[in-house]
Amino acid sequence: MTHASPIRILVVDDHFVVREGIRSLIRREAGMVVIAEASHGAEGVKMHQLLTPDVTIIDLRMPVMGGVEATRLIRQETPDAKILVLTSFDGDEDIHAAFAAGASGYLLKHSSGDQVIPAVRALMQGDQWIPPEVGEHLAARQRGEVLSEREKEIVRHLALGEANKEIGIAVGISEQTVKSHVKNILAKLHVRDRTEAVTVALRRGIIHLPER
């Protein structure tokens, strides 16, 4: 598929160095141009509404609004929007959430240098971009058991070091019900204790540490 006019790209990332790196990559590629940059998801959504880029390259974790929510809002407004996630987060829950929100591709920053351009071109052709390592994480999630929203909520409280009684008060359930949920969480994550459950949940992107 050829284009008489250049592919117009919006870059959404809270780190200037990352945005500049992407702009430098695009600048060297004939037939592509970065038309705007945004430093968080809400700004990215507004830029997309104003400029309707051909492809949006977006990070997942940003202040004000993250990439998953921004992707969801952009796709609600423009159902055929082409969105490429470019992030350092490789947890299977992060990847699943991005595609569920409407992303068409997913790139990891540590391995993306030579993949950004072909990924953009693939999206313009109507294809998805799922590198092998990303596909492996998605497949692993499908093979495993998924935590319910309540269980995710409880894991977030476990990460704060709260006891069962404290968690029950916080979420409005009995201490015994919390114990039952924790037991199910340990079984689903294939771990032996609460500390290990939090470690696995962070690694997989089920929960995240608060932004500093």
Side-chain angles (χ1 to χ4, degrees):
M1 184 176 180
T2 58
H3 297 267
S5 57
I7 298 171
R8 302 162 64 253
I9 299 168
L10 167 65
V11 180
V12 187
D13 196 294
D14 58 325
H15 293 103
F16 171 79
V17 172
V18 174
R19 298 198 307 271
E20 185 60 28
I22 296 171
R23 182 181 284 277
S24 178
L25 275 174
I26 301 301
R27 190 183 295 122
R28 298 196 299 266
E29 186 68 19
M32 292 186 188
V33 61
V34 174
I35 58 169
E37 299 176 14
S39 59
H40 56 74
E43 188 179 19
V45 172
K46 186 178 295 185
M47 287 287 187
H48 196 282
Q49 291 172 337
L50 289 172
L51 302 172
T52 57
D54 298 311
V55 174
T56 298
I57 299 176
I58 192 167
D59 193 9
L60 281 190
R61 301 292 306 283
M62 295 178 287
V64 185
M65 179 187 292
V68 170
E69 181 62 18
T71 295
R72 186 178 293 113
L73 291 174
I74 289 171
R75 287 296 302 270
Q76 285 176 359
E77 179 82 17
T78 311
D80 61 347
K82 297 173 175 60
I83 300 174
L84 174 65
V85 171
L86 176 60
T87 186
S88 58
F89 293 93
D90 62 354
D92 57 291
E93 286 293 330
D94 290 315
I95 296 168
H96 169 78
F99 281 109
S104 302
Y106 199 103
L107 274 179
L108 298 174
K109 287 180 178 177
H110 68 260
S111 63
S112 64
D114 59 349
Q115 295 188 46
V116 171
I117 301 304
V120 168
R121 294 201 181 281
L123 266 58
M124 287 303 296
Q125 293 171 352
D127 298 328
Q128 285 190 317
W129 188 267
I130 306 176
E133 59 186 321
V134 171
E136 289 170 7
H137 286 297
L138 281 176
R141 183 186 185 277
Q142 292 173 350
R143 291 194 299 269
E145 294 185 82
V146 178
L147 298 191
S148 68
E149 290 305 312
R150 172 67 83 188
E151 289 166 346
K152 291 177 184 177
E153 183 181 21
I154 288 174
V155 174
R156 283 191 284 271
H157 284 280
L158 293 179
L160 297 175
E162 295 179 1
N164 289 345
K165 186 175 182 179
E166 294 174 294
I167 296 172
I169 293 170
V171 303
I173 58 178
S174 71
E175 184 177 355
Q176 189 58 45
T177 301
V178 174
K179 288 181 181 178
S180 178
H181 279 307
V182 171
K183 181 179 178 181
N184 289 337
I185 290 166
L186 298 185
K188 286 184 176 182
L189 297 182
H190 305 289
V191 296
R192 294 166 295 181
D193 56 42
R194 299 153 73 101
T195 301
E196 198 176 353
V198 171
T199 300
V200 170
L202 287 168
R203 175 173 54 80
R204 289 183 53 191
I206 295 171
I207 63 171
H208 295 101
L209 292 173
E211 296 283 352
R212 293 181 181 274

